[in-house]
Amino acid sequence: MSTAVQTRTRDPRIILNAVQERVPHLVADVGVTDLWEREVALLLRDSVAVRSLAERILDQGIAYLITAMENPGVDMGVGYTVDIGVHQLILDTPLYFALCEEYNGGRYKHHSPLIERRRDGTVTRTAELLRRNGFAVDDELWEVDASDCSPCDNKVPDSH
């Protein structure tokens, strides 16, 4: 007898919108329906020219941050492209604090980037860690600059 195995894929859009009650003031007055749309609009305003690409970058940025929060002390890093989404979330500090509250035990997850980029396979290993953590990985976004990692300083406590 065979047993059906269900694969669960975590949806970054659902994850982001689930913390909306913690930051309602960010949504009500800006003409967007939810936090996902807010962050996409901010990416389009500041750094990404195409909506579909902004959504992909945001998706992977959320997957990275949640995985980093759920795996403290694990050496992780992103390439330049995915880092755009990571930075967007961190810069929207009330939203980032809500994510930290929900996924990092209420503690602030520091962002302490090293100046020198690493070229040691960290980006590829990080993408695999996201996959093992239940997220779909946009291989194209991770591979485009996989040899140019922007890691955080592991000497800073609870940093990614």
Side-chain angles (χ1 to χ4, degrees):
M1 180 164 50
S2 72
T3 304
V5 176
Q6 244 183 6
T7 303
R8 176 183 72 119
T9 302
R10 299 170 79 182
D11 186 334
R13 184 177 192 147
I14 292 170
I15 287 170
L16 189 65
N17 286 332
V19 297
Q20 185 164 325
E21 288 183 15
R22 296 176 193 247
V23 286
H25 56 284
L26 290 181
V27 176
D29 297 331
V30 294
V32 294
T33 56
D34 57 28
L35 292 175
W36 175 268
E37 291 300 323
R38 175 187 167 76
E39 299 310 306
V40 168
L42 288 168
L43 281 169
L44 290 169
R45 182 193 75 185
D46 294 338
S47 56
V48 182
V50 179
R51 181 181 175 89
S52 60
L53 182 57
E55 289 179 337
R56 291 170 61 199
I57 290 171
L58 180 60
D59 179 273
Q60 296 300 284
I62 294 165
Y64 169 79
L65 282 174
I66 299 305
T67 300
M69 289 178 188
E70 292 176 346
N71 294 274
V74 174
D75 186 30
M76 296 175 63
V78 297
Y80 175 78
T81 304
V82 174
D83 209 22
I84 294 168
V86 172
H87 287 162
Q88 175 54 52
L89 294 161
I90 292 170
L91 288 172
D92 203 342
T93 58
L95 171 59
Y96 185 63
F97 271 66
L99 289 170
C100 289
E101 219 173 74
E102 183 70 26
Y103 293 96
N104 201 45
R107 296 174 316 279
Y108 182 77
K109 184 79 164 177
H110 292 282
H111 183 57
S112 180
L114 294 171
I115 293 183
E116 294 294 321
R117 291 184 180 272
R118 290 174 25 195
R119 291 164 179 85
D120 62 357
T122 300
V123 172
T124 302
R125 288 191 303 274
T126 299
E128 287 307 312
L129 181 57
L130 267 63
R131 194 174 273 117
R132 287 193 307 269
N133 201 32
F135 291 101
V137 172
D138 188 329
D139 290 315
E140 184 178 39
L141 291 184
W142 288 86
E143 291 169 1
V144 70
D145 45 22
S147 65
D148 205 16
C149 177
S150 55
C152 281
D153 189 343
N154 63 1
K155 292 175 183 60
V156 176
D158 200 18
S159 67
H160 63 89

